[in-house]
């Protein structure tokens, strides 16, 4: 299945060969000192060696933050931990850092883990990452009783004051918190109304998904006005837009000296607008042949399928495959203007905010949470959904006027710092959690 925010995920219990809810294969592999030798079965190793040496079937991977005895503890539950962080993963790290600055002990739970930079960043920003198999919620399927028991025991043992689920697609952590009399906060980052894939995975329409989240949560944190309107629950929701640390984003304004570059930065799934971007490249190759259209993102099977059409002459010559960029700054530095052409309504649009912070004008479809970020004609342009010709017109307008490009970029950075910095985020998050943690 596909995650509600673009990356691939696996919503079943057995995410990494787990035999059941009582043993985390992926967590055990990471927890073993020096790693497991090739070909060694983790369960056999645990039964024969690991359990006797103190290793746990559901390990807590040590974190970079010390546990403060006098501080309250919050358990933050994520639904996936991949190798590469995209917007949703970076937003979770922002939440962990804000909670830590608020003086809280922060623990993270994950249904499976994979060694890599993102896992290490989660560990560094928390007191530890607990790995246990758990599923996404699915309508009509009861929560796994054993998993709920594991969560409840952990909540009591660690004296957790509140459970924060970093998505609307979970239920077992919230059910356990309810049993323990602990507040449940759901951090809603999805817009199910226009996400058919999410509805398919959850077996529920948007109304049922909303009712599930509201029934489980004492507080729903929403990251944009679009998500707030979806929930339509005054008094139950708190608006806390995502944030971005400006450190490292003080990039030079585009010079537009040689070949201006318009970029799409994403996880390179079809629903992110790959087809629209190719069509845009075709339009621009005829209208402004000096422009390059740069696709920044992983070389996945969808990109491979696009590349395969190249020898047949079906791809425009101005289309550049830049590959995955390790940091947002590296991605933005490769382009002079950033697009968002997503076919799924973005609940926020972090890449757009990153572009604004890096002095890049933006052109986006006018849907979802993007209107909360982009000020029409001031920091970029919003165009009707699917109108690729209108996107091409705005791109040409910006690149034809270097002063306009500079003004849009500077205004975008000023707005990003003023409205979406870490300090503003922490203050809003603290207000949203007041009385619950």
């Amino acid at each position: 299945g596909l995650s509600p925010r673009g990356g691939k995920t696996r919503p079943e219990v057995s995410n990494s060969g787990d035999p059941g809810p009582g043993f985390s294969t992926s967590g055990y592999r990471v927890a073993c000192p020096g790693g497991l030798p090739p070909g060694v079965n983790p369960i056999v190793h645990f039964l024969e060696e690991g359990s006797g040496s103190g290793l746990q079937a559901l390990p807590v991977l040590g974190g970079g933050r010390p546990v403060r005895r006098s501080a309250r503890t919050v358990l933050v539950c994520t639904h996936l931990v991949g190798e590469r962080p995209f917007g949703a993963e970076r937003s979770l790290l922002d939440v962990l850092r804000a909670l830590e600055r608020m003086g809280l002990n922060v623990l993270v739970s994950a249904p499976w883990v994979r060694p890599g930079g993102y896992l290490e960043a989660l560990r560094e920003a928390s007191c530890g990452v607990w790995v246990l198999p758990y599923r996404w919620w699915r309508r009509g399927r009861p929560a796994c009783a054993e998993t709920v028991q594991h969560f409840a025991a952990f909540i009591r043992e660690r004296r957790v004051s509140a459970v924060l689920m970093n998505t609307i697609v979970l239920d077992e952590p919230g059910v356990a918190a309810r049993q323990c009399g602990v507040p449940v906060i759901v951090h809603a980052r999805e817009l199910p109304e226009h996400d058919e894939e999410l509805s398919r995975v959850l077996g529920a329409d948007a109304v049922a998904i909303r009712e599930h989240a509201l029934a489980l949560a004492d507080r729903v944190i929403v990251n944009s006005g679009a998500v707030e309107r979806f929930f339509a629950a005054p008094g139950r929701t708190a608006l806390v837009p995502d944030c971005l640390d400006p450190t490292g984003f003080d990039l030079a304004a585009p010079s537009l000296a040689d070949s201006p570059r318009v970029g799409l930065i994403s996880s390179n799934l079809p629903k992110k607008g790959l087809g629209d971007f190719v069509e845009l490249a075709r339009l621009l190759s005829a209208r402004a042949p000096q422009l390059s259209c740069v696709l920044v993102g992983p070389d996945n099977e969808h990109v491979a399928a696009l590349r395969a059409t190249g020898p047949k002459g079906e791809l425009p010559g101005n289309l550049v495959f830049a590959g995955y960029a390790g940091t947002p700054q590296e991605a933005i530095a490769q382009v002079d203007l950033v697009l968002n052409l997503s076919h799924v309504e973005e609940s926020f649009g972090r890449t757009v905010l990153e572009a604004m912070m890096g002095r890049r004008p933006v052109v986006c479809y006018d849907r979802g949470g993007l209107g909360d970020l982009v000020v029409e004609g001031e920091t970029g342009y919003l165009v009707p959904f699917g109108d690729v010709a209108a996107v091409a017109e705005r791109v040409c307008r910006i690149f034809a006027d270097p002063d306009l490009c500079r003004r849009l970029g500077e205004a975008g950075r000023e707005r990003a710092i003023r409205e979406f910095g870490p300090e503003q985020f922490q203050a809003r998050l603290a207000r949203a959690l007041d009385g619950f943690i």
Side-chain angles (χ1 to χ4, degrees):
L2 300 176
S3 82
R5 297 181 294 277
K8 283 195 173 182
T9 190
R10 306 165 186 154
E12 297 303 319
V13 167
S14 185
N15 293 306
S16 302
D18 299 324
F23 186 86
S24 172
T25 301
S26 64
Y28 187 77
R29 287 185 181 277
V30 174
C32 280
L36 287 177
V40 174
N41 185 295
I43 304 171
V44 173
H45 186 274
F46 172 73
L47 293 174
E48 294 182 348
E49 301 181 37
S51 60
S53 61
L55 293 176
Q56 301 297 313
L58 302 175
V60 178
L61 308 176
R65 305 297 177 182
V67 175
R68 292 166 285 195
R69 293 186 180 277
S70 60
R72 290 166 294 174
T73 298
V74 58
L75 175 62
V76 180
C77 306
T78 185
H79 63 304
L80 57 93
V81 178
E83 290 179 280
R84 295 171 171 175
F86 293 101
E89 291 78 17
R90 294 187 178 107
S91 295
L92 173 58
L93 291 172
D94 290 333
V95 171
L96 301 183
R97 292 164 184 149
L99 293 172
E100 199 277 334
R101 289 194 299 268
M102 289 161 57
L104 296 165
N105 293 322
V106 182
L107 292 166
V108 177
S109 75
W112 55 278
V113 291
R114 187 175 295 162
Y118 179 51
L119 174 58
E120 294 310 308
L122 284 177
R123 295 176 68 175
E124 176 59 29
S126 69
C127 300
V129 176
W130 181 39
V131 193
L132 76 161
Y134 53 94
R135 303 177 295 191
W136 288 19
W137 169 76
R138 183 173 176 84
R139 188 179 188 183
R141 180 177 64 189
C144 174
E146 187 176 343
T147 301
V148 171
Q149 289 174 1
H150 288 311
F151 271 109
F154 189 85
I155 289 169
R156 295 187 181 104
E157 176 189 344
R158 299 297 178 117
R159 298 182 180 178
V160 171
S161 298
V163 169
L164 190 158
M165 298 190 296
N166 192 53
T167 172
I168 63 175
V169 305
L170 300 178
D171 64 337
E172 288 153 346
V175 173
R178 286 274 189 227
Q179 290 183 2
C180 297
V182 167
V184 179
I185 297 99
V186 171
H187 201 146
R189 304 170 178 277
E190 299 90 353
L191 278 171
E193 283 182 301
H194 304 282
D195 193 336
E196 294 180 1
E197 183 66 16
L198 179 62
S199 291
R200 184 190 66 78
V201 170
L202 301 183
D205 60 17
V207 173
I209 295 171
R210 179 175 62 227
E211 290 176 350
H212 154 73
L214 287 173
L216 201 57
D218 295 290
R219 167 73 82 193
V220 178
I221 296 174
V222 296
N223 66 345
S224 70
V227 181
E228 188 173 42
R229 289 187 291 274
F230 166 73
F231 276 96
R236 299 286 308 283
T237 59
L239 177 59
V240 183
D242 293 346
C243 75
L244 187 63
D245 188 337
T247 304
F249 283 93
D250 193 6
L251 305 179
S255 65
L256 308 185
D258 300 316
S259 175
R261 305 157 298 173
V262 55
L264 182 69
I265 304 170
S266 79
S267 54
N268 284 349
L269 296 173
K271 67 180 183 179
K272 292 297 184 178
L274 292 187
D276 292 25
F277 191 62
V278 173
E279 178 60 24
L280 175 68
R282 290 195 180 98
L283 294 177
L284 292 177
S285 66
R287 182 169 177 175
Q290 77 278 15
L291 302 184
S292 297
C293 293
V294 183
L295 183 64
V296 182
D299 285 323
N300 56 24
E301 64 270 26
H302 309 293
V303 173
L306 279 179
R307 287 180 181 274
T309 66
K312 303 176 184 178
E314 297 176 6
L315 286 182
N318 61 349
L319 186 60
V320 178
F321 297 95
Y324 178 78
T327 67
Q329 294 91 332
E330 291 174 10
I332 294 166
Q334 298 181 61
V335 300
D336 303 304
L337 181 152
V338 173
L339 306 174
N340 185 301
L341 307 177
S342 179
H343 281 223
V344 176
E345 289 198 9
E346 304 277 3
S347 68
F348 183 76
R350 185 182 178 92
T351 300
V352 172
L353 180 60
E354 291 169 346
M356 290 166 56
M357 194 70 83
R359 292 190 174 88
R360 269 40 179 183
V362 292
V363 178
C364 311
Y365 287 150
D366 188 9
R367 62 202 314 250
L370 299 178
D372 290 359
L373 293 174
V374 181
V375 179
E376 172 70 17
E378 181 179 322
T379 66
Y381 294 102
L382 297 164
V383 304
F385 171 61
D387 194 343
V388 180
V391 176
E393 190 279 327
R394 302 302 193 280
V395 168
C396 291
R397 181 190 304 180
I398 293 170
F399 284 153
D401 187 344
D403 287 339
L404 172 63
C405 183
R406 179 188 56 78
R407 290 198 305 272
L408 293 174
E410 290 294 340
R413 179 169 172 81
E414 291 174 6
R415 174 169 169 75
I417 293 174
R418 181 179 67 252
E419 299 294 335
F420 304 102
E423 295 80 10
Q424 296 92 326
F425 177 79
Q426 182 176 332
R428 290 166 179 152
L429 184 62
R431 288 195 295 270
L433 298 178
D434 186 34
F436 297 100
I437 294 183

